[in-house]
Amino acid sequence: MKLNSTKPGLKTLCPSRLLCQRIKDGLPRLIIDRLPGSEGFTETGWCKLRDSQGAFLSWGVVDPANNTIHLISSSENDPSVDLVSRFENALNKRSAMEALNGEVVRLVNGPGDNLSGFTLDSYGDTLLLSLESWALSDLVDYHFHKVMATLKPEHIILKVREKGRKPKGRIPERALLGLPVKGKISVKESGINYLVRPMGSLDTGLFFDLRGARREFALNAKDKSVLNLFSYTSAFSLASALGGARQVVSVDTSPECHNWARENFKLNNLDPEEERFRFIKDNVFHYIEKLVKRSEFFDRIVLDPPVRSIVGTGRFFLKSDLYKLVASCLTILSPKGRLLVTDNTMQGTENRLAQQVNKGSERAGISCSIIKIFEPEPDFPVHPLWPKGQGVVSMEVERS
């Protein structure tokens, strides 16, 4: 539906006094089922927020699929003008990152840039605009196109990451500029070449919110043995190999991801068939059990698990099971070895991740210490009133 502020039945919301102040301070979104009378917010549309005195606070877009009201404009007269202004401001903030020209970079980071529900990523000459819901798609108008066009891309791809509507890995998408991008394209991160697939699946093949962690991990990989668990397209493996690791083992259940990883190695003039590189198709838990039985240890381990993983009868849920994996990793980590562990639930915090690490340490009966907590990358800002917007929390742990 078109979001029309003159539409009959436009909703008006009068939040509590405390919530009004948070909205004035710049709160980027509201959780619908935490609001009084939330049963009325079941359809997509505009919502005007006012305080108890009737003074205007913000325009919101009701997004029932995500249980959210996106607060997208503080301009009562024309919310679209304010929205586009926020979009331009986000791009201008990235001017300090001109040194990354030609490399993957996030240009708009949702709530962190006061643009709840919107992200914009640059993959060289291809821009990828992602929305959390169709509720926001009508806001991508001529003015949005005009702002993105100033970057002179050859392609602009729109993806809608709507919850619970499409089979896993498949989402609605279309080309806003240029022809649809078929297959993979080559991009750079920290000077390393990676193949990404802008269209055709939920993820592109490279999560560059871990750019700094990957770069530092590679710097400490020289002459070390490296184990990359849930390796996906093996970005950490490739960075470690180029960093001089003497052994790199990548473990994932997907043959497609391993083939993709081999392509990435070849793209950087590395032979994936070298004896020091191994790509293992296996369940991570099962593989760790094999390593324990063989008394095989690693100097560096990457534990960057998905939010959930269901393979055969095996079930893994990051929120409840991460500490078990931490414990397992500590049992195959060499003394003074280092484990890089992440939480990408979008609700993780440094304290929660530290608790999982400590719980895993207790379970394994192996002491360890947290030696590094990685700050969000500069192109992944976190809104001070919405810390849940931090996409990934990562830290490095050293075994005693």
Side-chain angles (χ1 to χ4, degrees), residues 128 159 181-185 195-201 203-205 256 260:
L128 180 56
K159 289 187 176 183
V181 181
K182 296 182 179 180
K184 303 184 185 84
I185 62 174
L195 291 172
V196 299
R197 188 165 54 204
M199 301 185 74
S201 62
D203 299 312
T204 64
E256 180 186 2
W260 196 331

Side-chain angles (χ1 to χ4, degrees), residues 45-109:
W46 284 110
C47 176
K48 182 179 283 190
L49 287 80
R50 298 185 181 277
D51 64 20
S52 59
Q53 306 301 313
F56 174 79
L57 293 171
S58 177
W59 280 106
V61 174
V62 181
D63 178 5
N66 288 293
N67 191 32
T68 296
I69 297 178
H70 304 278
L71 305 182
I72 54 90
S73 174
S74 55
S75 172
E76 183 173 11
N77 294 329
D78 193 342
S80 63
V81 172
D82 186 30
L83 179 65
V84 172
S85 177
R86 295 183 184 197
F87 202 80
E88 290 178 314
N89 288 339
L91 298 187
N92 291 336
K93 289 178 185 177
R94 304 303 188 266
S95 61
M97 301 191 67
E98 289 179 356
L100 293 178
N101 187 33
E103 298 210 351
V104 289
V105 64
R106 174 150 292 186
L107 301 171
V108 174
N109 193 46

Side-chain angles (χ1 to χ4, degrees), residues 80-147:
S80 63
V81 172
D82 186 30
L83 179 65
V84 172
S85 177
R86 295 183 184 197
F87 202 80
E88 290 178 314
N89 288 339
L91 298 187
N92 291 336
K93 289 178 185 177
R94 304 303 188 266
S95 61
M97 301 191 67
E98 289 179 356
L100 293 178
N101 187 33
E103 298 210 351
V104 289
V105 64
R106 174 150 292 186
L107 301 171
V108 174
N109 193 46
D113 286 312
N114 291 308
L115 284 159
S116 176
F118 294 83
T119 61
L120 180 66
D121 294 322
S122 174
Y123 294 87
D125 59 11
T126 299
L127 299 182
L128 180 56
L129 177 64
S130 298
L131 309 180
E132 286 188 8
S133 171
W134 283 111
L136 300 168
S137 60
D138 288 328
L139 300 176
V140 184
D141 60 7
Y142 165 77
H143 300 289
F144 254 72
H145 284 255
K146 188 176 179 181
V147 173

Side-chain angles (χ1 to χ4, degrees), residues 132-172:
E132 286 188 8
S133 171
W134 283 111
L136 300 168
S137 60
D138 288 328
L139 300 176
V140 184
D141 60 7
Y142 165 77
H143 300 289
F144 254 72
H145 284 255
K146 188 176 179 181
V147 173
M148 289 188 287
T150 63
L151 301 174
K152 299 180 179 179
E154 291 188 14
H155 307 273
I156 301 176
I157 308 301
L158 172 68
K159 289 187 176 183
V160 181
R161 296 171 174 250
E162 198 165 28
K163 287 186 178 180
R165 297 297 181 88
K166 292 289 179 180
K168 181 180 178 181
R170 297 290 177 181
I171 58 174

